[in-house]
Amino acid sequence: MITVGLLGCGNIGHIIAKHQKSFSITAVYDQIEARADELAAASDARAYTDFTTFLSADFDIVVEAASVAAAQEYGEVILRSGRDFVVMSVGALSDTEFRERLVRTAKEMGKKIYVPSGAVMGLDNIKVGQISAIDTFLLRTTKSPASLSIRADVPTMIFSGKAHECIRDYPKNVNVSEALTLAAGHEVDVELWVDPDVDRNIHEIFIEGEFGDAYIRVRNIPSPENPATSYLAALSILTLLENLDNPLVIGT
């Protein structure tokens, strides 16, 4: 059974802990002791508030479910500790210098960096963009104004530009744009909208190229314990962990 060290003890960590089947969480890390202790009790793991001590524990893979800043701070040392690294806050990889350094370290150590599908679908086929020309590639994300602490009485576009620019301005809200960019090998254009009439985060993907064209629309149900978190994003990590040891690989 794969053993997991969990970096970040928030809502996603709790969802992962509730669904342990073919993997086991044995260590959890958070800077806030009460959060680490709570999740450790829920997952029958050991809690850590010192990262170096956390890395000295016995587990196979680190799952980051904390923040862009945490992924960038700890990513390289995780790989150098001999563990594979699951990055939930994929916006961290929009920093080209950091991403290239992380990939070089993974190659040097013979380790893998895993990026879950997160709050969207279709990344497997979007990877055709790595070998086939893409003419149009757009992500349109619509959220409630309250989720971004914005007042708006009508649908309003608050950002239009490239993925890396959107990640810079909204690092907690459009991680999916970097996941799409990495999958396609082609930076996605992003429109970020707020709409007072929506009660779910909506991601629309428009892609057209030599292969044809596709439109994907995902309406995410918020996590029951934290409306700011997409339940699908947490489920995508669970799916990845459940299939790491599966000899039958689908959709890659």
Side-chain angles (χ1 to χ4, degrees):
M1 178 177 287
I2 293 172
T3 53
V4 173
L6 192 59
L7 168 56
C9 297
N11 177 248
I12 287 180
H14 281 272
I15 294 173
I16 295 171
K18 288 179 182 177
H19 294 84
Q20 299 176 74
K21 292 181 182 178
S22 61
F23 66 91
S24 175
I25 298 172
T26 58
V28 300
Y29 167 81
D30 201 287
Q31 293 178 338
I32 300 173
E33 186 174 4
R35 285 162 55 108
D37 288 342
E38 182 184 6
L39 186 53
S43 56
D44 195 24
R46 185 169 179 179
Y48 296 87
T49 55
D50 177 78
F51 190 76
T52 300
T53 309
F54 166 71
L55 274 190
S56 70
D58 185 19
F59 51 83
D60 303 316
I61 188 169
V62 174
V63 174
E64 175 275 316
S67 66
V68 166
Q72 292 181 335
E73 181 176 358
Y74 299 123
E76 189 170 0
V77 69
I78 287 168
L79 293 168
R80 291 201 178 280
S81 76
R83 273 75 168 228
D84 292 333
F85 183 32
V86 179
V87 186
M88 185 67 205
S89 303
V90 66
L93 302 181
S94 65
D95 181 330
T96 303
E97 182 180 350
F98 168 73
R99 183 179 71 244
E100 291 177 350
R101 186 170 70 251
L102 204 65
V103 170
R104 285 198 303 269
T105 302
K107 288 180 178 179
E108 177 186 337
M109 300 301 298
K111 297 289 114 181
K112 293 285 188 180
I113 304 163
Y114 294 97
V115 176
S117 297
V120 292
M121 297 181 177
L123 291 188
D124 50 353
N125 280 332
I126 284 174
K127 286 191 289 187
V128 301
Q130 297 175 19
I131 58 173
S132 177
I134 293 177
D135 301 316
T136 300
F137 194 24
L138 171 68
L139 168 68
R140 180 180 296 143
T141 293
T142 304
K143 300 191 171 194
S144 69
S147 70
L148 292 168
S149 301
I150 292 173
R151 292 181 60 88
D153 298 322
V154 297
T156 305
M157 185 168 66
I158 62 171
F159 176 87
S160 177
K162 294 295 185 181
H164 74 277
E165 298 168 332
C166 198
I167 288 287
R168 179 195 62 206
D169 295 343
Y170 300 94
K172 295 183 179 180
N173 293 280
V174 284
N175 277 291
V176 295
S177 66
E178 184 60 22
L180 289 165
T181 293
L182 291 174
H186 182 103
E187 189 167 28
V188 65
D189 295 310
V190 179
E191 292 180 1
L192 181 58
W193 290 73
V194 291
D195 185 341
D197 293 327
V198 303
D199 58 358
R200 301 183 186 183
N201 292 340
I202 301 171
H203 299 293
E204 297 173 278
I205 303 165
F206 305 82
I207 184 167
E208 183 174 352
E210 290 179 341
F211 65 90
D213 61 88
Y215 168 68
I216 302 169
R217 183 173 186 261
V218 182
R219 297 175 65 239
N220 283 303
I221 293 177
S223 170
E225 303 299 327
N226 182 359
T229 301
S230 160
Y231 191 45
L232 179 60
L235 294 177
S236 74
I237 296 182
L238 285 168
T239 303
L240 186 154
L241 293 173
E242 289 289 343
N243 284 279
L244 281 177
D245 272 350
N246 193 335
L248 178 60
V249 180
I250 302 170
T252 55

